[in-house]
Amino acid sequence: MTYQSTLTYQDYSAGHPWYYFLGGKVLTPRQILKATRQSGYQGYRRDEIANAADLCELQRSAKLRAIRDEALQSVRVDLARYRQLALTLYRHGRKRPALDRVTACDDIHTNISLKHNHLVNGFAHLLTIDHLLSQQGDLFGF
């Protein structure tokens, strides 16, 4: 399953540089989390997470918690960088481009769109793992 955001601006999602270039608002982390939850997207590590979930208990929970710790650390780093980029974009200015003369967006637009996508994946991993950890695993491997 791929991520499809309902949060768009002029037909571009927040994961695309032109969303920001054309004047789309910077989303809060809560908005990104909510959109990720609603999409049902499980992140690029979904196969690794599913394989860990298929293990017998003790190994299952330990592996899922290890992946969760990595994902949580990554989300923390990504959130800090996303906030820096949002501030940079604010300082960059939000002038409407003359679209007939534009062929590319600025680096800040690309950077913040990529960081948005990193957050989507990180949130998707955490949501998926938290759901799996809330279920009882197989104690005997049958």
Side-chain angles (χ1 to χ4, degrees):
M1 169 184 256
T2 59
Y3 176 75
Q4 286 288 37
S5 176
T6 57
L7 305 170
T8 61
Y9 184 78
Q10 295 191 9
D11 296 327
Y12 291 99
S13 74
H16 194 285
W18 281 69
Y19 170 92
Y20 302 96
F21 180 72
L22 294 173
K25 74 175 197 151
V26 174
L27 302 174
T28 66
R30 282 181 197 236
Q31 290 171 312
I32 298 169
L33 175 61
K34 182 179 178 184
T36 303
R37 182 178 286 122
Q38 290 173 343
S39 75
Y41 178 61
Q42 296 179 340
Y44 69 89
R45 294 178 79 177
R46 69 184 161 275
D47 293 338
E48 177 186 1
I49 294 168
N51 289 338
D54 288 341
L55 296 172
C56 298
E57 251 325 313
L58 287 190
Q59 292 119 349
R60 174 188 179 271
S61 291
K63 182 68 173 171
L64 287 173
R65 284 190 180 101
I67 297 170
R68 187 184 190 291
D69 290 345
E70 292 171 15
L72 187 57
Q73 180 59 32
S74 180
V75 165
R76 286 181 177 142
V77 170
D78 290 338
L79 279 171
R81 181 68 178 140
Y82 183 77
R83 288 182 177 116
Q84 290 173 344
L85 292 168
L87 182 59
T88 301
L89 181 61
Y90 173 77
R91 290 179 178 159
H92 179 271
R94 304 289 279 192
K95 298 176 215 123
R96 289 278 304 172
L99 294 179
D100 59 332
R101 296 179 293 197
V102 174
T103 59
C105 59
D106 294 328
D107 287 346
I108 183 60
H109 304 117
T110 302
N111 293 343
I112 197 164
S113 68
L114 288 172
K115 197 48 65 181
H116 166 275
N117 294 339
H118 293 169
L119 286 172
V120 166
N121 274 291
F123 287 149
H125 297 149
L126 292 173
L127 290 167
T128 301
I129 292 168
D130 286 348
H131 173 72
L132 290 169
L133 287 173
S134 71
Q135 300 172 339
Q136 175 66 45
D138 184 356
L139 295 174
F140 304 106
F142 296 114

